[in-house]
Amino acid sequence: QVQLVESGGGLVQAGGSLRLSCAASGRTFSSYAMGWFRQAPGKEREFVAAIWWIGVRTNYADSVKGRFTISKDNAKSTVYLQMNSLKAEDTAVYYCAVRVGSLDYATLPRNLHEYDYWGQGTQVTVSS
């Protein structure tokens, strides 16, 4: 019962920045974690970043650490992904996802199978 809508994708020059937004609606109070994934042409969907809905811990893929920042606005039920120093290899469809079930351990989920609901994705294209 959670709906997710991504926005903010588009074309950007290498070295530039974009800020993606993911607006959630429905049973947002039941959210445990929010994550960002991406899928480039011919590749598997991969983990990018995650954040606890209640809490401050975050986690990032090595490929984006130091360049991307995940954040949230609980009052607006929105999660953001600030992407700086973009590279051509960042080109992909970016998806947000939410985990609503409890976890056995306090570990931010990285596996796509650990998430319950997904947005439709937003295209990010970085020109070199």
Side-chain angles (χ1 to χ4, degrees), residues 71-117:
S71 62
K72 62 183 181 179
D73 185 335
N74 291 73
K76 295 180 178 179
S77 297
T78 300
V79 177
Y80 306 95
L81 185 68
Q82 178 67 47
M83 306 185 294
N84 298 326
S85 302
L86 283 162
K87 306 173 181 180
E89 49 264 46
D90 294 317
T91 295
V93 176
Y94 284 72
Y95 300 89
C96 64
V98 60
R99 166 82 182 198
V100 299
S102 62
L103 296 165
D104 291 338
Y105 301 97
T107 303
L108 278 164
R110 286 170 159 260
N111 193 314
L112 61 87
H113 296 294
E114 295 180 292
Y115 288 84
D116 301 295
Y117 298 96

Side-chain angles (χ1 to χ4, degrees), residues 45-76:
R45 191 170 300 185
E46 66 177 3
F47 171 79
V48 175
I51 188 170
W52 293 117
W53 194 239
I54 300 177
V56 296
R57 292 276 290 177
T58 60
N59 203 359
Y60 299 91
D62 290 341
S63 59
V64 306
K65 192 172 297 183
R67 299 188 298 120
F68 291 10
T69 302
I70 187 170
S71 62
K72 62 183 181 179
D73 185 335
N74 291 73
K76 295 180 178 179

Side-chain angles (χ1 to χ4, degrees), residues 38-45 91-93:
R38 67 186 182 185
Q39 188 165 21
K43 292 189 174 182
E44 298 290 320
R45 191 170 300 185
T91 295
V93 176

